Amino acid sequence: MTYRLFYWPGLQGRGEFVRLAFEEVAEPYVDVVREDGPEGMAAMAALMGGGEGRPAFAPPILEDGDVVISQTANILLYLGPRLGLAPPDEALRHTAHGLQLTIADFVNEAHDTHHPISGNLFYKDQKEAAKACATEFLNNRAPKYLAYFDKTLAAGDGFAVGGVHSYVDLSLFQVVVGLAYAFPRAMARFDERWPALAALTERVGRRPRLAAYLASPRRIPFNETGIFRHYPELDIDG
Ligand SMILES: N[C@@H](CCC(=O)N[C@@H](CS)C(=O)NCC(=O)O)C(=O)O
């Protein structure tokens, strides 16, 4: 049974954290809405509408036969051992999940820099609040998260958990490249401030299957509909 991933078309978004795991191990998957167009969108709407009595609030959503899972961290908790991207030890899998939930918090805060009042409003209608939110994020919140992950990696010989390459490493890569896209000025001294994270980003980006994926048309370019958006007016000097 081929895994089926449901996510909005045209953006990396939170779906990308799941795609990276599949791509890293060359696991076949159907990116349903991208591949099936309106029919795929209707299938995703059905999953969110709860036709089967287990509605998902929002994508990404993973379908594996009868198993339907939402929440990015939860999907990766499920896929990690199946794709060989999780530590073998159960306790360490919970450590990995804890790190992934922290990444989810970080991703939410990155998203809120351009949508601080509501995801239901346009960016143009919350620009003033976005500037205040982004400035606080870049001065205090992002450095706090980045220092935490840098320390975690330094203590783990360059791996987020258990001394093994895991889905958490892939997600940290995605966060770093996303921030570099969105806030190039603030991230200018990234390598010297957070060297362990910089080394991880370099290492993950060079993994052969991932490098091939990143260079392929399957990798949707960053754009201003995703989580990491480049609005120059929100960036500050780092
Ligand atoms: N905590 C969830 C957040 C899911 C989420 O916010 N998905 C976005 C797209 S990336 C969405 O479609 N949200 C719709 C909404 O919040 O109304 C996760 O990590 O998967």
Side-chain angles (χ1 to χ4, degrees):
M1 185 73 73
T2 308
Y3 292 110
R4 286 160 63 82
L5 172 67
F6 294 83
Y7 193 70
W8 304 115
L11 61 153
Q12 294 180 15
R14 291 178 176 86
E16 196 67 10
F17 294 94
V18 183
R19 290 191 191 105
L20 289 184
F22 285 138
E23 295 286 347
E24 165 68 359
V25 299
E27 176 69 36
Y29 64 103
V30 181
D31 207 332
V32 181
V33 182
R34 278 177 89 184
E35 294 178 32
D36 295 353
E39 270 179 40
M41 189 64 97
M44 185 165 89
L47 287 176
M48 289 161 71
E52 303 281 321
R54 51 189 175 202
F57 179 74
I61 304 165
L62 179 77
E63 200 177 67
D64 179 22
D66 290 340
V67 179
V68 178
I69 303 175
S70 61
Q71 292 285 349
T72 313
N74 201 28
I75 293 170
L76 291 169
L77 177 69
Y78 178 82
L79 286 177
R82 288 168 172 79
L83 300 183
L85 287 172
D89 179 81
E90 195 198 346
L92 287 177
R93 285 187 190 165
H94 286 280
T95 304
H97 190 47
L99 287 165
Q100 194 65 38
L101 289 167
T102 309
I103 291 171
D105 292 340
F106 193 7
V107 166
N108 286 343
E109 292 195 36
H111 170 271
D112 288 353
T113 60
H114 48 80
H115 279 76
I117 296 176
S118 170
N120 287 356
L121 297 174
F122 292 114
Y123 168 62
K124 68 177 176 52
D125 297 324
Q126 45 191 322
K127 281 180 92 166
E128 203 178 314
K131 180 63 188 168
C133 185
T135 302
E136 170 61 20
F137 175 78
L138 293 172
N139 279 330
N140 296 311
R141 296 297 296 173
K144 185 172 180 178
Y145 280 109
L146 292 168
Y148 167 72
F149 288 119
D150 196 67
K151 199 167 71 174
T152 302
L153 289 167
D157 288 333
F159 298 99
V161 61
V164 296
H165 180 62
S166 72
Y167 65 82
V168 182
D169 296 351
L170 303 179
S171 293
L172 286 174
F173 166 86
Q174 175 67 6
V175 170
V176 170
V177 296
L179 290 174
Y181 168 78
F183 305 110
R185 282 165 54 209
M187 293 298 133
R189 291 192 306 111
F190 180 85
D191 290 20
E192 64 188 77
R193 292 173 78 184
W194 301 292
L197 259 178
L200 168 127
T201 307
E202 174 84 10
R203 172 175 72 76
V204 171
R206 283 177 187 275
R207 291 187 65 86
R209 290 193 189 113
L210 262 206
Y213 166 67
L214 296 172
S216 79
R218 291 199 307 288
R219 169 80 162 181
I220 301 164
F222 284 111
N223 61 47
E224 280 54 66
T225 61
I227 291 162
F228 300 105
R229 302 186 187 190
H230 180 53
Y231 294 128
E233 64 274 20
L234 297 185
D235 203 0
I236 62 171
D237 285 331

